[in-house]
Amino acid sequence: MKRILIIGAGFAGMWSALSAARLIHEQDAKDVEICVVAPEPHLHIRPRLYEEHAASMKAPLSEIFREAGVNFIQGTVERIHPDRDALEVVTTDQRRSTIQYDRLVLATGSRLFRPPVQGLAEHAFSVDQIDEAAALEAHIKQLADQPDTPARNTVVIAGGGFTGIETAAEMPARLRAALGSEATVKVIVVERHREIGPDLGAGPRPVIEEALRELGVTVKLGVEVSSIDVNGLTLSDGKRIDTRTVIWTAGVRASSLTEQVPSERDTVGRLHVDRYLRVKGVNRIFATGDVAYAATDNEGNYAMMSCQHAMNLGRSAGHNVAADLLGAEMIPYSQPKYVTCLDLGPWGAVYTEGWDREVKMVGKEAKSLKTKINTEWIYPPTAGSTRAEVFAAADPRRIVVA
Ligand SMILES: Cc1cc2nc3c(=O)[nH]c(=O)nc-3n(C[C@H](O)[C@H](O)[C@H](O)COP(=O)(O)OP(=O)(O)OC[C@H]3O[C@@H](n4cnc5c(N)ncnc54)[C@H](O)[C@@H]3O)c2cc1C
């Protein structure tokens, strides 16, 4: 029996597993096992973690994995040994075991990067992982039990990028829901660049500025958070903001398992891969999703660390890893259409197309698209889907743009 091992059950890992299973089924290869290793058999819907009800932002995978013939090992990979085609897993019962593979797909995603800012580890919240977003939600709810002070009523979001903007736009309404509609709430975004959404470009910026203004969100540009304590934070210009709630959103890094694969990595830790998503210079290992630095086209564009890219990177990696093992034809990864849909809370949303992010839709219309993306398009096939439906959805030739 040959084994394809996939580490991670996020967007990229899940679609890799289903796509590999599709090709194996198509080729009627009975001697190949597909195995996913991840801490739990659920897809965490990370793009929704700035919303309320964070703890419920997950979808079960056991049934569709069973339907597709994918095995699941509940555990965390601690070591990869590319020289011996093996990895070490610690399963949920704390047992350590070594598993051999014939091909490996690394799909362990990314994590919020926390720089060594004084007090950040102890006092800042985040919306990066489900447990972290749930902790923020519990904190906001219990603010109502604290004395009515400016610090209680103020939320500061460190980082004015995609996640920071989406989080900030939600916060005035979420604070009022917790503290009462009469409360004087204050939401402040601190962004070290001179513009909000520095990576989003000039196209959607006027829309973002208008939305944040109308929502009553203050934006402080050209300053950084220097230190955080239990009662507030200090900015790089020496000014102080009293707050009980700092949400850190500035920067992400690829999973640290990438460091165990001997290949070139980009500035955020992603492994350089070829057009088939094989890690460059390393035999039998593929990388996908947020751990892959992958060209999306022949025009010099590279995949973003985004769910939009991770889903198709996953489908391609799964197909190609199985094709490589079976001697079937590989399909180069390609994702020529790039869109963004940024949630702007009760104000609406802004939708752009292309790498220049040309605004195509704003306000309520864009919001209903965002709602569709967040509640339907990014979810896995529902439990009860047939094998044929699951495999059709996993076909790498299917173009998914959201
Ligand atoms: C608040 C927020 C908003 C976002 N909004 C958007 C958006 O609007 N649009 C968009 O396209 N993208 C958005 N993103 C980004 C998107 O969520 C990520 O790019 C996407 O989740 C990447 O998918 P992935 O499968 O590579 O990694 P992940 O989804 O992070 O999955 C990684 C998987 O690997 C597992 N894993 C990690 N380490 C190990 C290990 N050692 N052993 C075993 N398993 C392991 C994890 O448990 C998980 O199952 C947002 C992210 C956040 C946090």
Side-chain angles (χ1 to χ4, degrees):
M1 196 72 162
K2 296 187 184 108
R3 181 180 291 136
I4 295 172
L5 259 183
I6 295 162
I7 318 177
F11 296 95
M14 174 196 70
W15 285 116
S16 288
L18 299 177
S19 178
R22 190 198 73 85
L23 188 66
I24 281 161
H25 177 75
E26 190 181 276
Q27 301 265 321
D28 200 21
K30 303 241 177 329
D31 62 340
V32 181
E33 177 199 24
I34 302 167
C35 199
V36 173
V37 187
E40 54 169 304
H42 283 92
L43 175 69
H44 287 200
I45 312 294
R46 285 180 73 199
R48 297 191 66 182
L49 294 182
Y50 64 93
E51 296 180 37
E52 270 187 306
H53 312 303
S56 67
M57 300 298 180
K58 48 165 98 174
L61 294 175
S62 299
E63 206 173 307
I64 53 164
F65 278 170
R66 210 167 23 248
E67 187 62 31
V70 171
N71 295 330
F72 183 78
I73 297 174
Q74 189 156 4
T76 301
V77 173
E78 294 204 336
R79 299 264 346 141
I80 303 173
H81 299 287
D83 52 331
R84 315 194 242 125
D85 296 339
L87 43 80
E88 287 172 39
V89 185
V90 176
T91 45
T92 29
D93 53 6
Q94 296 309 311
R95 285 222 309 255
R96 180 180 291 271
S97 51
T98 301
I99 310 178
Q100 295 294 137
Y101 61 80
D102 292 279
R103 294 290 183 282
L104 178 68
V105 180
L106 186 63
T108 43
S110 58
R111 284 260 172 183
L112 178 69
F113 175 64
R114 292 173 171 85
V117 168
Q118 196 190 331
L120 192 160
E122 302 89 324
H123 303 296
F125 291 90
S126 99
V127 292
D128 187 60
Q129 304 290 326
I130 283 190
D131 53 345
E132 295 166 359
L136 168 67
E137 196 162 345
H139 166 81
I140 289 174
K141 287 205 173 111
Q142 64 78 41
L143 284 174
D145 303 331
Q146 295 187 16
D148 183 354
T149 62
R152 182 198 72 159
N153 299 346
T154 300
V155 169
V156 177
I157 291 109
F162 202 104
T163 302
I165 294 166
E166 291 197 324
T167 307
E170 290 282 315
M171 277 304 143
R174 283 180 65 177
L175 268 181
R176 281 192 200 97
L179 302 177
S181 53
E182 300 305 308
T184 314
V185 304
K186 206 163 178 187
V187 176
I188 303 168
V189 177
V190 176
E191 166 54 54
R192 72 186 160 106
H193 287 91
R194 300 230 155 258
E195 281 148 339
I196 189 79
D199 296 334
L200 288 164
R205 190 163 296 129
V207 183
I208 296 167
E209 287 169 345
E210 181 188 339
L212 293 182
R213 206 170 33 247
E214 286 185 20
L215 290 165
V217 174
T218 305
V219 178
K220 287 189 183 293
L221 299 170
V223 278
E224 292 181 35
V225 174
S226 298
S227 66
I228 307 171
D229 56 67
V230 70
N231 292 315
L233 58 82
T234 306
L235 295 171
S236 49
D237 61 8
K239 294 203 175 97
R240 182 156 174 93
I241 303 175
D242 292 336
T243 176
R244 294 248 167 219
T245 315
V246 179
I247 308 171
W248 195 270
T249 70
V252 283
R253 290 284 184 281
S255 148
S256 59
L257 278 187
T258 54
E259 294 162 22
Q260 298 181 24
V261 181
S263 185
E264 198 180 340
R265 291 180 295 131
D266 75 351
T267 51
V268 288
R270 298 184 297 176
L271 289 158
H272 286 232
V273 290
D274 66 16
R275 292 309 299 268
Y276 302 104
L277 308 181
R278 296 176 292 202
V279 177
K280 286 188 179 168
V282 182
N283 291 329
R284 298 177 291 282
I285 300 187
F286 291 66
T288 190
D290 279 3
V291 296
Y293 179 63
T296 57
D297 51 38
N298 293 324
E299 278 149 44
N301 296 309
Y302 281 79
M304 306 288 287
M305 284 170 132
S306 77
C307 170
Q308 175 187 169
H309 287 108
M311 294 198 299
N312 275 353
L313 280 163
R315 291 181 176 96
S316 292
H319 176 93
N320 288 336
V321 74
D324 192 33
L325 192 61
L326 299 174
E329 197 183 334
M330 291 201 251
I331 301 174
Y333 163 68
S334 143
Q335 200 160 339
K337 186 164 182 188
Y338 174 55
V339 304
T340 58
C341 197
L342 182 75
D343 200 340
L344 294 168
W347 187 90
V350 55
Y351 168 76
T352 72
E353 287 183 359
W355 289 93
D356 294 336
R357 297 195 179 84
E358 196 183 330
V359 175
K360 295 285 183 186
M361 229 189 268
V362 297
K364 301 295 168 214
E365 201 190 354
K367 181 77 172 196
S368 68
L369 177 64
K370 182 71 179 182
T371 305
K372 220 171 181 39
I373 293 169
N374 273 6
T375 59
E376 294 176 31
W377 294 357
I378 61 176
Y379 276 73
T382 48
S385 299
T386 63
R387 179 176 285 202
E389 286 165 343
V390 171
F391 286 166
D395 193 326
R397 290 157 295 196
R398 185 188 143 107
I399 299 286
V400 175
V401 294

